[in-house]
Amino acid sequence: MTSKNTICLWYDGDAVDAANFYAETFPDSAVHAIHRAPGNYPDGKEGDVLTVEFTVVGIACLGLNGGPHFKHSEAFSFLIATDDQAETDRLWNAIVDNGGQESECGWCKDRWGLSWQIAPRALTDAVFGTDRAAAKRAFDAMMTMKKIDIATIERAVLDRD
């Protein structure tokens, strides 16, 4: 690991599968190294995959096959800024259609329970823009969505009624 700060993500024996999925799905993502345990440990034995070094959209991560003791929660998520509806749809669908789960307001979970925010830049620009009335309309529209629909957000910004 060359990064001074690395996110460690806990998996129950399938860190390699998760890392490969992320590398195949997200740009600027890759699996860098797979490390096998030099001895037995509470949820594995010598030779089992213990850790996987990978990046997700340029962020250094370490997948740890630590067993079933700890689960991912919504308290941690990856926020992925997308440039258009096609990218939003592709990433959202890759996560949800691969055993994941839809949530609200652009959030979804992958099949390992890790939370993702698939957030179009158009949404962020609208919600945090200087026109506070338009920001509220965009925010209110977002609150009704699962996957973000950029055209609906843009219409909400322009709707002055």
Side-chain angles (χ1 to χ4, degrees), residues 29 38 70 72 75 91 98 110 115 122 130 132-133 138 142 145 156 159:
S29 301
F70 300 105
H72 297 289
L91 295 177
N98 188 45
D110 65 28
S115 291
T130 56
R132 298 317 300 152
M142 175 201 67
M145 299 177 187
D159 184 16

Side-chain angles (χ1 to χ4, degrees), residues 62-119:
L62 181 75
L64 170 66
N65 280 329
H69 312 292
F70 300 105
K71 305 290 182 200
H72 297 289
S73 82
E74 290 81 358
F76 175 88
S77 65
F78 281 100
L79 171 65
I80 306 296
T82 56
D83 293 323
D84 55 32
Q85 193 66 52
E87 184 181 23
T88 300
D89 292 347
R90 184 183 73 75
L91 295 177
W92 176 276
N93 294 340
I95 292 167
V96 171
D97 294 347
N98 188 45
Q101 179 182 357
E102 292 182 333
S103 191
E104 306 298 324
C105 305
W107 292 65
C108 57
K109 283 185 189 178
D110 65 28
R111 69 179 172 141
W112 300 277
L114 189 61
S115 291
W116 298 83
Q117 297 178 60
I118 307 302

Side-chain angles (χ1 to χ4, degrees), residues 21 28 113 130:
F21 172 74
D28 194 21
T130 56

